[in-house]
């Protein structure tokens, strides 16, 4: 009896032990499963938030297209308004198709100097975000570079020749220099033993495109304006420059406000993430630096124009705001608020003297000042990042290495854009002729090039 009772107690304890182990084991497994599911859910939510932020930023950058259209139309004469609007629509329409088909593959294809072409293939590059969304985000930046040139060659260029240029910047000029930088090419290659690391100990930095987008468009614009020649009546027999006022500064002002608004997608959106605390801090800082640079650029251009010409110029103030925005775009993630205000103010000042130099000394007619705002200020904004970056900047004890990398990258990309602009526009001029006949230029491109006018009496 005692033996049976002892065996019974042993069996009872054993069953209880097995039950406890089984119960807690199942719950532990369930806990592990719940933790895994929770981690997956958090990752999905983070990816979803980052994707929405990227696409929202892309929408804002796309909205810069009507901003450019209004600025260019307002700064030029009413008889060419339909022509300018048509060019802006074509820049985005043709640019989107061509960048998807050709440009994206070259920009993000494998290779150090030139990306391997991958036609119609967006699966070649994994950014950690949906590939289709990343293509759209990159497309709106390409279209921005393309449309910068429109205003510089306005009022005297054949529409067909402009389309040829637009095709080439979206398939060759922008994707190649874009591959050197954002595409993982040699200017931003931080691997040990790479050219930039061996030469400077650091890489070129352009967060949102002062050089990659704006300088590329600005230097191509300068080449196009020089080769197509000045508008009739711009320079007199004494070779002195004569003002040709735009027809609607209200339109131009609205365009600048739209561009300013769109820049909050252009710069903060380049963070490409918004899910973590560090992302939120980075986006907020970029918003602040972007806005301060725009305000400082506008304020300084107003003051300098008042001193230089005796009156505060609205048109120069508008371009000063854009100059500040262009200048801060490279280093908006690296500089302090004070540095951002200084960069914007410096670029707003430089812009005024650049406009005067290009117009009066080089005798190049740029109706909207695109080459000064985007080319010159994009270049100097990139250089100023090497001075004001809070970690590697020269003024913050970082030495001259980062400044050297910034100067080298800006010079290389600018030279590429300028040389290719000269080759393309000169080639088109020799083969087909860039310029419309003088009668069409004098009477306006709207009727002769498009058969319609933006303003009907």
């Amino acid at each position: 009896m005692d033996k049976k009772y002892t065996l019974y107690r042993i069996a009872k304890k054993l069953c209880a032990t097995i039950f406890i182990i089984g119960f807690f084991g199942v719950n532990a497994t369930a806990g592990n499963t719940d933790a895994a599911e929770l981690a997956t859910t958090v990752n999905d939510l983070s990816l979803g938030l980052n994707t929405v932020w990227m696409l929202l930023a892309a929408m804002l950058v796309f909205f810069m297209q009507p901003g450019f259209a209004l600025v260019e139309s307002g700064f030029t004469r009413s008889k060419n308004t339909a022509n300018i609007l048509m060019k802006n629509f074509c820049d985005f329409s043709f640019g989107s198709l061509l960048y998807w088909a050709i440009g994206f593959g070259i920009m993000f294809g494998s290779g150090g100097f030139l990306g391997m072409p991958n036609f119609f293939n967006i699966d070649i590059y994994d950014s950690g975000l949906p590939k289709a969304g990343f293509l759209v985000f990159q497309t709106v930046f390409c279209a921005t570079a393309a449309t910068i040139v429109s205003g510089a060659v306005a009022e005297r260029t054949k529409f067909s020749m402009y389309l040829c240029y637009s095709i080439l910047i979206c398939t060759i000029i922008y994707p190649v220099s874009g591959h050197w930088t954002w595409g993982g090419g040699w200017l931003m290659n931080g691997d040990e033993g790479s050219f930039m690391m061996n030469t400077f100990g650091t890489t070129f930095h352009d967060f949102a495109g002062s050089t990659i987008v704006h300088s590329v468009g600005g230097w191509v614009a300068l080449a196009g304006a020089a080769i197509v020649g000045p508008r009739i009546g711009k320079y007199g027999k004494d070779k002195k420059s004569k003002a040709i006022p735009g027809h609607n500064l209200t339109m131009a002002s609205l365009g600048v406000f739209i561009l300013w608004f769109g820049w909050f997608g252009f710069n903060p959106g380049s963070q490409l993430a918004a899910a973590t605390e560090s992302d939120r801090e980075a986006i907020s800082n970029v918003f602040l630096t972007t806005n301060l640079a725009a305000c400082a650029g506008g304020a300084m251009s107003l003051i300098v124009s008042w001193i230089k010409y005796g009156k505060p110029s609205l048109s120069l103030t508008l371009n000063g705001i854009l100059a500040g925005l262009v200048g801060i775009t490279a280093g908006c993630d690296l500089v302090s608020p004070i540095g951002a205000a200084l960069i914007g103010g410096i670029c707003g000042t430089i812009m005024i003297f650049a406009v005067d130099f290009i117009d009066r000394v080089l005798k190049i007619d740029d109706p909207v000042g695109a080459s000064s705002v985007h080319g010159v200020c994009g270049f100097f904004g990139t250089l100023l990042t090497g001075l004001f970056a809070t970690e590697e900047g020269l003024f913050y004890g970082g030495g001259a290495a980062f400044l050297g990398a910034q100067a080298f990258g800006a010079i290389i990309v600018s030279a590429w854009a300028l040389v290719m602009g000269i080759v393309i526009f000169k080639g088109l001029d020799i083969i087909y002729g860039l310029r419309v006949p003088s009668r069409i230029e004098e009477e306006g491109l709207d009727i002769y090039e498009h058969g319609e006018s933006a303003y009907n009496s």
Side-chain angles (χ1 to χ4, degrees):
M1 186 75 177
D2 291 339
K3 185 181 287 187
K4 288 182 179 180
Y5 181 70
T6 302
L7 290 173
Y8 170 75
R9 284 191 302 170
I10 293 171
K12 184 178 178 181
K13 289 180 180 179
L14 182 62
C15 289
T17 302
I18 292 171
F19 174 77
I20 291 169
I21 293 172
F23 177 79
F24 285 104
V26 168
N27 278 274
T29 303
N32 290 337
T33 301
D34 290 344
E37 290 178 352
L38 180 61
T40 301
T41 301
V42 170
N43 288 335
D44 287 344
L45 288 173
S46 296
L47 180 60
L49 181 59
N50 293 339
T51 301
V52 170
W53 170 242
M54 176 182 67
L55 295 177
L56 176 61
M59 294 178 206
L60 290 172
V61 178
F62 169 73
F63 193 53
M64 293 172 73
Q65 292 293 322
F68 279 115
L70 290 170
V71 170
E72 293 166 13
S73 299
F75 278 159
T76 52
R77 291 168 289 186
S78 59
K79 61 185 179 181
N80 301 304
T81 300
N83 176 259
I84 289 172
L85 296 176
M86 180 65 109
K87 288 191 294 184
N88 279 269
F89 274 106
C90 289
D91 279 332
F92 192 81
S93 300
F94 285 90
S96 295
L97 293 168
L98 291 164
Y99 187 73
W100 161 62
I102 302 171
F104 184 84
I106 293 175
M107 186 164 172
F108 291 98
S110 59
F113 185 79
L114 182 66
M116 183 65 68
N118 293 270
F119 304 120
F120 298 98
N121 184 7
I122 65 173
D123 295 325
I124 57 171
Y125 186 81
D126 185 8
S127 65
L129 293 164
K131 293 180 174 64
F134 186 70
L135 169 65
V136 171
F137 183 79
Q138 293 297 331
T139 297
V140 294
F141 280 75
C142 177
T144 299
T147 204
I148 288 168
V149 182
S150 172
V153 298
E155 303 199 293
R156 72 271 203 203
T157 306
K158 292 178 182 176
F159 179 69
S160 59
M161 292 299 97
Y162 182 81
L163 286 183
C164 291
Y165 141 77
S166 187
I167 290 169
L168 292 170
I169 193 173
C170 294
T171 56
I172 298 175
I173 301 175
Y174 178 79
V176 170
S177 56
H179 176 75
W180 296 346
T181 49
W182 292 339
W186 63 289
L187 285 176
M188 287 190 177
N189 183 358
D191 294 340
E192 185 177 353
S194 66
F195 173 81
M196 293 298 289
M197 295 304 291
N198 285 341
T199 306
F200 300 102
T202 188
T203 61
F204 177 69
H205 181 87
D206 189 354
F207 184 70
S210 285
T211 288
I212 299 168
V213 177
H214 294 282
S215 266
V216 166
W219 296 123
V220 175
L222 182 67
I227 291 168
V228 75
R231 292 168 290 176
I232 295 172
K234 176 60 180 174
Y235 298 102
K237 293 181 179 179
D238 57 0
K239 297 186 179 180
K240 288 185 178 180
S241 175
K242 297 180 180 180
I244 302 179
H247 82 284
N248 195 327
L249 285 180
T250 303
M251 185 184 293
S253 299
L254 177 59
V256 170
F257 273 121
I258 291 173
L259 288 172
W260 196 341
F261 177 71
W263 234 286
F264 292 127
F266 206 96
N267 287 2
S270 293
Q271 179 71 13
L272 289 176
T276 68
E277 183 178 355
S278 61
D279 291 329
R280 295 191 292 273
E281 290 293 331
I283 291 169
S284 299
N285 181 68
V286 172
F287 258 93
L288 177 60
T289 56
T290 298
N291 192 57
L292 289 175
C295 295
M300 284 305 298
S301 59
L302 184 153
I303 293 168
V304 174
S305 67
W306 202 338
I307 294 171
K308 186 174 174 61
Y309 301 111
K311 293 183 183 296
S313 167
L314 173 59
S315 59
L316 287 175
T317 300
L318 295 176
N319 268 343
I321 292 169
L322 298 181
L325 288 165
V326 169
I328 195 59
T329 298
C332 54
D333 62 323
L334 297 182
V335 302
S336 68
I338 294 174
L342 289 171
I343 289 173
I346 292 169
C347 288
T349 303
I350 289 174
M351 179 275 303
I352 291 179
F353 293 96
V355 167
D356 196 59
F357 179 79
I358 290 171
D359 181 28
R360 299 178 186 275
V361 178
L362 298 183
K363 305 295 182 186
I364 296 175
D365 180 18
D366 181 350
V368 302
S371 51
S372 300
V373 171
H374 299 277
V376 174
C377 292
F379 180 86
F380 278 100
T382 305
L383 289 183
L384 291 169
T385 301
L387 298 176
F388 291 103
T390 55
E391 292 186 4
E392 294 186 277
L394 181 64
F395 291 166
Y396 287 81
F402 184 51
L403 177 60
Q406 292 299 96
F408 179 80
I411 290 170
I412 290 295
V413 174
S414 298
W416 161 257
L418 183 61
V419 170
M420 288 302 297
I422 292 170
V423 169
I424 288 171
F425 279 111
K426 194 64 178 177
L428 291 172
D429 192 37
I430 292 171
I431 297 171
Y432 300 107
L434 283 174
R435 197 177 183 114
V436 298
S438 58
R439 179 187 173 188
I440 294 177
E441 181 180 346
E442 289 171 344
E443 296 186 18
L445 276 65
D446 286 2
I447 296 298
Y448 286 94
E449 288 276 277
H450 306 284
E452 56 192 346
S453 175
Y455 303 100
N456 294 304
S457 56

